[in-house]
Every structure is written in structure tokens, then in C-alpha cells.
Amino acid sequence: MSWLILFVAGLFEIAWAIGLEYSDGLSEPIPTAGTVAALIISMVLLARAVQNLPIGTAYAVWTGIGAVGTATLGIVLFDEPAAGLRLLFISVIVFGIVGLHFVSGGH
């Protein structure tokens, strides 16, 4: 269950990171409120997950999910470059997340 909570926390990390773009420097009230809400939910879920997972592993997975999701949505939503090397390095992060899951007894 802790891994599922951590995964959902990572999804909320993506939400608040993308929310930063829509909030226009936290100057738009509604996107800013959504960004802050997603940030709080993400942190609360991360705190719950680390009750049963090693902090180093959980934090690495949480930030990895956020980084991969945010980079992917940056490509899809904001026309950020999808160059081959960029995609390669994003995939390296994915392999790192999966690897940490398996070596941490998450399977």
C-alpha cells in the first residue's frame, strides 16, 4: 500500500509542477490555489509513504515520478523539445525508479 501511496504522491507532484506554469508566477488565483493544494496533498502522501518505506528510496522515486511526468507533460502541453537525447535521459530516470522499486522489496 505504501508504494501506491507514493505513486499517487508522485502524480500530485506532477500536478503542482505543471500548475506552476499555469499560475503565471503564482499570480493567477485559481491555478495558484490548485498548485498549492496539489503540493500539500503530495507532501502529505509522501509523509504517509515514508512511514513504511526508506526515506532515501521514497524521495528518489517521488522526485523521479515528478520529473518524468513533468518533462513528459512539458513536451505534450507546452511544446518543449522532444529530442532523442532528452527522451533517452528521461527513460534513464524511469529505469531508476523501477530499479529502486525492485531492490527495495516493492515487487
Side-chain angles (χ1 to χ4, degrees):
M1 188 60 143
S2 295
W3 283 100
L4 178 60
I5 292 169
L6 182 60
F7 178 74
V8 174
L11 295 179
F12 276 99
E13 185 186 11
I14 297 166
W16 72 256
I18 294 299
L20 289 174
E21 182 73 22
Y22 287 109
S23 73
D24 194 28
L26 302 178
S27 65
E28 296 291 331
I30 292 174
T32 296
T35 299
V36 171
L39 175 60
I40 291 168
I41 292 167
S42 181
M43 295 300 271
V44 167
L45 292 173
L46 175 62
R48 295 236 16 235
V50 300
Q51 289 177 320
N52 297 307
L53 298 172
I55 185 66
T57 299
Y59 185 75
V61 170
W62 178 71
T63 57
I65 292 168
V68 169
T70 303
T72 302
L73 287 177
I75 292 167
V76 172
L77 298 174
F78 308 121
D79 294 321
E80 293 178 4
L85 282 176
R86 186 169 193 227
L87 297 175
L88 171 70
F89 291 122
I90 290 170
S91 69
V92 168
I93 297 170
V94 171
F95 284 114
I97 293 168
V98 171
L100 283 170
H101 177 71
F102 282 110
V103 300
S104 298
H107 53 286

